[in-house]
Amino acid sequence: MERDSSDEEDDRENLIHQNETTAKSPRQRSTFDIDEFHGKLTGNRRFTFNKRYLLVVFLPLFIVIVYFTTDVKSYFQTGASDVKFDASVDRMRESELHALYLLRQQQLGLFNLLNHTVLIGSNSTLVNSSDRLNDVNFAVYNQISLNKRIQQALLSSHSVGESLDLNENVTDPSVGGYVGVSGCKRVEQKLSDRRTIEWKPRADKYLFAICVSGQMSNHLICLEKHMFFAAVLNRVLVIPSSKVDYEFSRVLDINHINKCLGRKVVVTFEEFAEAKKNHLHIDRVVCYFSMPQPCYVDDEHVKKLKSLGVSLNKLEPAWVEDVKKPKARTVQDVVAKFSSDHDVIAIGDVFFADVEKEWVMQPGGPIAHKCKALIEPSRLIMLTAQRFIQTFLGENFIALHFRRHGFLNNAKKPSCFYPVPQAANCITRLVERANTPVIYLSTDAAESETDLLQSLIVLNGKAVPLVKRPARNSAEKWDALLYRHGLEADSQVEAMLDKTISSLSSVFIGSSGSTFTEDILRLRKDWGSASVCDEYLCQGELPNFIAEDE
């Protein structure tokens, strides 16, 4: 699932120069002023000194005094190169300090402008006007944030001396606590305008789902694509047995899918076995993928199917298709190759299939239904996620999927394994933009990495807490539902719980190349919780250090 993002902050410095006013100079007097000349003519004894005369008289005297009271000789003993270097450093330092002074004046002015626009917005009753004011507020807030980073950059190179008092007549408003500003609005999803297909299967025709690639997230995406194939081929989808695949009934609400369509479109393996009177035969296996092996199914999986009493005919490739180089296919291609009068068919793993990508990946999915999402967490997991958020996070939080396992070996090009300090910097920037007080952390990283990450995520002098799900504690009641139904300590349930919490966050930071992240993004789009600030970790950046290959 790809998505575009234009949320990177602009790397532009917008310096607002102070208006400099020049006092009007007094009327210039000529050497022979009319009044003075008139005084001389009238015999007036007053004698008017011109300022130029004073300068000529006192300047030599000043030089003489300085010469005898100062050890001028010591200054000329310094090498020429040293003089140039010291002067250059002093000029640079004074220039930087002056720029810093102007930036802080700009910050104060922008903050006052922000307060002014908020005051106008509070009195406005027009929706369009309010939207414009929000945009202005966000733009001003971004300028203040940019301004603050420039100040920090200038201060980092040296300590502030006494030559320029930065605190004089200047306040330093804290915008980090300004709760009225957040540039991370929800993405408006026009689900009514999406392209859909009706799923009206024949009751006695089945598509037997086979998913073998990767872990749970891959299998969920595989199931989602199988539903599209089933809709196109007018077949009921058979959910795999937990003896050959994951126990989907523990993490998914399977009945929810049927309710959303108002008819029976999916059945569990047990329901399928009962309907077929235990005559579990797949009449035709037409493989979507032919390489690296037909149907992308290994011998081990075939053995598991046979152990369930499922027999199948010879695997027939529909076309030449490689999982590493899938071709873009259309609905017409699918109908032409996989339509059949057989009762039960299978097409193998379709996780890598590229069929009507834009149609399949749109918010809400390609199938017409009356719910937000067809594939979503079970009711128990949903309630547990809500209770966790109510207990630890509140409504305004960032969710971070910080995947580390398998990303260090540089298998992905470009690499998306970022050094912890770089990752912390990227996260802090988004925290400042989203104006959120806490981060929910879903990760497979070691504590040594997460502890360092926590120590580096600091905004306005305060650490931004990284919250992880705590170990089971009988005193805490947020996870009581899972414990009561025997779902505690189930790794797949915990993974789905992480996804659910992350999908309900204000802003989400994912790991590029992770299907765990992609499934969260799918849920966020379907549920309408997606934010304009959602992005991959350090999106648009390369790791600032990459180890060599073995």
Side-chain angles (χ1 to χ4, degrees), residues 217 401 442 495-496 498-499 502 514-521:
S217 296
H401 176 219
S442 174
M496 184 58 75
D498 268 2
K499 285 184 182 181
S502 298
S514 167
T515 53
F516 189 95
T517 282
E518 298 305 324
D519 204 34
I520 293 172
L521 293 174

Side-chain angles (χ1 to χ4, degrees), residues 22 131 226 406 447 464:
T22 305
D131 289 341
H226 260 99
E447 287 189 7
V464 182

Side-chain angles (χ1 to χ4, degrees), residues 28 50 87 155 204 214 229 232 242 289 310 335 366 375 435 445 516-517 540:
Q28 297 292 330
N50 190 285
L155 284 172
D204 58 342
F229 279 90
V232 170
S242 59
F289 286 103
V310 178
V335 171
I375 295 183
N435 192 28
F516 189 95
T517 282

Side-chain angles (χ1 to χ4, degrees), residues 272-300:
F272 168 71
E274 183 179 352
K276 301 301 291 185
K277 305 301 182 184
N278 289 322
H279 179 62
L280 308 180
H281 181 67
I282 301 177
D283 302 314
R284 190 182 180 198
V285 183
V286 186
C287 299
Y288 187 95
F289 286 103
S290 59
M291 296 185 291
Q293 64 263 0
C295 286
Y296 201 53
V297 176
D298 55 16
D299 293 338
E300 184 64 27

